[in-house]
Amino acid sequence: MLRRDLLIGGGLAAIAACAPKLGPAGAPAGPASAPPTPVPTGEAARWAPYASGITIDAASALDLFYTGDPTPPGGTPPSPDEVARSIAADLAAAKASGLTAVVATVAPQGRFWLDDAAYEKTKRDLASWKAKIAQHPTELVLIETAADLETARATHKLGVVFTFQGTEPLGEDSDRVPVYRQMGVRVIQLTHNRRNLVGDGAMEPGNAGLSRYGHEVVERLNAEQVVVDVAHGSQRTIREGILASKRPMLISHTGCRALSDVPRCTPDAELRLLAERGGVAGMILWPYLRTDTQPTASDLIRHIEHAVNVCGEDHVGIGSDTGVAPIERTPAFEKDNREMIADMVKQGIFGPGRPADLYTFLPDLNFANRYETLGAMLVLRGHADARIAKILGGNFARVMREVWG
């Protein structure tokens, strides 16, 4: 969810459980209750290898793509000047972020799209996204191949990888997969929070796994060289999706359920299975990192280190589920945010007792170059540069190269 949403294997597991835990630079990890890691500032916040590496956020985007969306009932459409300022700010944030690429959602998530009119609208929306990227060739580049990732890195442009958060745009027809791939979609998430034709989402109490159609879709995604993403799945959907895929897959944005027992976080057993099959789990920057108070960067570090302990350093990344640009905490934003959090508690997405002013981002990383600072924080924790480079994007790039060919 981005800013716009405010407006509208047993044996191997047993061996792994007995293995020494990997902490900073391969050393044993400290306890979960270790003192918070301070967020560095100034030159101390700069991780030296950041500018030359591949850095990928597996769940992010720029709000400029949504400029011109229908205004919510009772709302006031933005003026041309406001639109221009918003686009300029987003492009400046893209440059300041230093990111190589973001995996961006290009269709409504969790909504059924079974009719031809919705299918045609999805294709028009994809064409619109591509056109907007083409309008900003000095700042943005569409990512369709592994070579495009390298181009984005070398030219310091922000690459955009198209994804769907849910297979609803396929409707009942897996033949739409090659159509969407031809239009640039390179990652497809099987479910969002609720049940769809492929399987159950994280918020479904039934915890059903993949349907027959779901197995067909995974097979088709593999055949068309589209990365399978099982984020937002129920525990069974995640496990069965991992087992069904013959290619490495992603859990693009999640947390570790061992540290925060909420449906959107992934249990250790599924994290291990993902790693055994070559996949990568992206740690989220959402309140799922805790079950009580507002999470901070230290909580993110805790989840990253736990995931490294469970999966190994080759299978952990970052999928923030936030926009590239920092949030402007205006009075209007604070009002909208409180209303959204209250609604999410009502839906059961967050448990009762969460703060009314809970934020769906980490306040102490609310700036564009948050990933460079995160790299510096991991250095302070004793992690080696090679591991940090994998976590900040190298692992995702490896999966994309393997699947895309």
Side-chain angles (χ1 to χ4, degrees):
M1 185 177 293
L2 305 177
R3 285 187 293 167
R4 65 185 186 280
D5 295 308
L6 293 174
L7 305 174
I8 24 194
L12 287 174
I15 293 170
C18 298
K21 299 299 184 183
L22 297 175
S33 58
T37 305
V39 178
T41 58
E43 284 302 310
R46 301 183 66 85
W47 178 54
Y50 186 75
S52 59
I54 288 182
T55 52
I56 299 173
D57 187 331
S60 187
L62 293 168
D63 286 345
L64 72 90
F65 292 114
Y66 301 95
T67 301
D69 275 0
T71 303
T76 303
S79 70
D81 285 347
E82 289 173 326
V83 170
R85 285 197 298 270
S86 176
I87 291 175
D90 258 6
L91 294 175
K95 182 65 68 176
S97 75
L99 282 165
T100 304
V102 294
V103 181
T105 304
V106 292
Q109 52 208 35
R111 303 180 194 174
F112 283 101
W113 288 67
L114 300 179
D115 58 49
D116 289 340
Y119 176 47
E120 295 303 320
K121 182 182 184 302
T122 304
K123 292 193 291 184
R124 289 196 302 272
D125 288 348
L126 277 166
S128 176
W129 272 72
K130 293 175 79 170
K132 288 179 179 180
I133 292 172
Q135 288 169 10
H136 304 284
T138 61
E139 296 97 349
L140 306 173
V141 59
L142 178 63
I143 303 296
E144 297 182 287
T145 68
D148 292 335
L149 280 175
E150 179 55 32
T151 296
R153 184 203 65 80
T155 60
H156 300 288
K157 298 178 183 180
L158 179 67
V160 181
V161 181
F162 290 166
T163 190
F164 296 147
Q165 283 202 55
T167 46
E168 286 82 358
L170 302 182
E172 300 177 278
D173 188 359
S174 63
D175 284 340
R176 291 181 180 178
V177 172
V179 175
Y180 290 136
R181 190 186 193 284
Q182 186 178 19
M183 299 192 71
V185 178
R186 291 296 181 269
V187 180
I188 291 184
Q189 185 176 298
L190 299 184
T191 68
H192 197 250
N193 282 337
R194 68 182 188 178
R195 176 177 295 150
N196 64 16
L197 297 177
V198 159
D200 268 11
M203 298 308 298
E204 292 289 348
N207 189 30
L210 284 188
S211 65
R212 290 177 184 269
Y213 178 60
H215 283 274
E216 176 188 323
V217 167
V218 171
E219 184 177 359
R220 193 62 185 270
L221 292 172
N222 284 172
E224 299 296 335
Q225 297 176 291
V226 175
V227 177
V228 175
D229 182 2
V230 293
H232 277 275
S234 69
Q235 186 172 358
R236 276 189 61 191
T237 297
I238 290 174
R239 169 167 284 272
E240 293 175 12
I242 293 169
L243 290 171
S245 181
K246 293 180 173 59
R247 295 175 180 268
M249 72 301 297
L250 307 180
I251 309 177
S252 60
H253 51 304
T254 188
C256 302
R257 196 174 294 187
L259 300 184
S260 181
D261 190 9
V262 298
R264 277 287 285 109
C265 289
T266 305
D268 285 357
E270 281 66 42
L271 290 174
R272 290 192 187 99
L273 182 64
L274 176 82
E276 289 165 9
R277 298 177 72 89
V280 179
M283 297 297 105
I284 199 168
L285 273 64
W286 261 52
Y288 304 128
L289 298 176
R290 299 186 68 95
T291 59
D292 48 10
T293 59
Q294 172 69 50
T296 65
S298 287
D299 295 296
L300 175 60
I301 296 286
R302 223 166 38 101
H303 280 255
I304 289 171
E305 291 184 344
H306 181 85
V308 169
N309 286 343
V310 173
C311 300
E313 65 182 35
D314 295 324
H315 306 284
V316 181
I318 306 293
S320 70
D321 209 14
T322 66
V324 173
I327 299 295
E328 297 178 27
R329 292 163 63 175
T330 64
F333 167 81
E334 298 291 349
K335 175 179 179 296
D336 290 336
N337 184 72
R338 284 175 177 260
E339 292 174 357
M340 182 185 74
I341 295 301
D343 182 64
M344 295 177 88
V345 170
K346 184 178 179 181
Q347 292 180 53
I349 294 173
F350 297 137
R354 301 303 291 265
D357 61 351
L358 191 68
Y359 296 116
T360 57
F361 57 94
L362 303 185
D364 53 350
L365 288 179
N366 187 31
F367 42 84
N369 65 327
R370 61 183 71 102
Y371 302 100
E372 182 176 21
T373 299
L374 180 59
M377 293 180 71
L378 289 168
V379 169
L380 292 175
R381 292 285 295 168
H383 295 275
D385 284 346
R387 174 182 290 177
I388 297 170
K390 293 176 181 180
I391 293 169
L392 294 188
N395 289 334
F396 286 132
R398 186 259 304 164
V399 169
M400 291 169 180
R401 290 187 192 104
E402 290 184 21
V403 175
W404 296 344

